[in-house]
Amino acid sequence: MNVMIDIETLDTAATAVVLSIGAVAFTDDGVECGKFYVELTDDLETQQNAGRTISADTVRWWISQNENAKSLFKDKPIDDPDRVGVATALSSLNKFLNAHGPAEKIKMWANGSDFDNVIMHSLYESFGTRAPWKHYNHRCYRTFKNLPGAPKAATREGVHHNALDDAMHQYKHWTEIN
């Protein structure tokens, strides 16, 4: 099973505070099997207390983004099901991944296996647990999309820097290449 993951953060370091997590599960032949999305913007203090970091450069970068991307920071109803604490987010992601296969079989794709996957591993460690996939199954969509002969991505749908929209875009492009 494959999972395309995308996260939005407040730093580029492995210890970054995570704002949102989006993921799409899909088979080796590109059939979508499910989507996952959570926002952690109401629980930033918990992450900082666990040693997660925020960089001024990344905050400035967020300020320069369009209003659709910045909607992540807008107040939402207290009972919004997408807004969860970090413990709930990690537990929910575990359930999503476990529903799609054992850890040894899940290939985690990200737009740079050295960013999203590494930060997620670090986030799990900050909260005393292990990521539910194996490090040797990291896959790099950035490398994949730049292979010689790979077609350019189709027209972009969704909001840039919305974790689920980005994961969906990357997954759809993966299917075009594959």
Side-chain angles (χ1 to χ4, degrees):
M1 182 59 62
N2 298 282
V3 174
M4 184 70 72
I5 193 164
D6 189 81
I7 60 175
E8 300 303 328
T9 67
L10 285 175
D11 198 351
T12 58
T15 55
V17 164
V18 175
L19 298 171
S20 61
I21 305 167
V24 181
F26 56 100
T27 63
D28 287 341
D29 57 351
V31 176
E32 181 188 321
C33 300
K35 299 176 194 172
F36 175 86
Y37 181 72
V38 292
E39 295 177 3
L40 295 89
T41 51
D42 290 344
D43 202 19
L44 303 184
E45 186 176 338
T46 300
Q47 291 188 58
Q48 287 182 290
N49 289 340
R52 311 300 300 171
T53 56
I54 296 173
S55 80
D57 286 343
T58 304
V59 170
R60 279 191 291 278
W61 178 85
W62 272 109
I63 291 168
S64 74
Q65 297 307 300
N66 71 45
E67 291 305 311
N68 289 332
K70 290 191 288 190
S71 70
L72 181 62
F73 299 99
K74 292 196 171 34
D75 287 334
K76 292 188 178 178
I78 194 91
D79 60 348
D80 187 317
D82 289 341
R83 292 256 171 121
V84 299
V86 67
T88 300
L90 295 178
S91 175
S92 297
L93 182 58
N94 287 354
K95 288 176 188 170
F96 174 78
L97 294 172
N98 289 335
H100 296 291
E104 308 77 47
K105 302 281 183 177
I106 294 178
K107 293 172 263 181
M108 292 298 288
W109 289 85
N111 196 13
S113 64
D114 60 345
F115 186 77
D116 306 76
N117 291 345
V118 171
I119 292 172
M120 287 303 299
H121 266 270
S122 175
L123 183 65
Y124 274 98
E125 288 174 3
S126 292
F127 290 91
T129 188
R130 291 177 163 237
W133 66 88
K134 301 297 183 186
H135 69 280
Y136 53 77
N137 277 335
H138 285 193
R139 299 293 186 266
C140 186
Y141 163 72
R142 181 176 292 136
T143 300
F144 188 67
K145 72 180 181 178
N146 286 301
L147 290 172
K152 296 292 181 203
T155 303
R156 171 64 192 234
E157 296 175 7
V159 176
H160 287 275
H161 309 301
N162 170 287
L164 182 56
D165 289 350
D166 288 351
M168 282 298 298
H169 176 72
Q170 292 161 197
Y171 149 70
K172 288 177 180 178
H173 188 211
W174 184 97
T175 64
E176 293 169 17
I177 297 167
N178 201 40

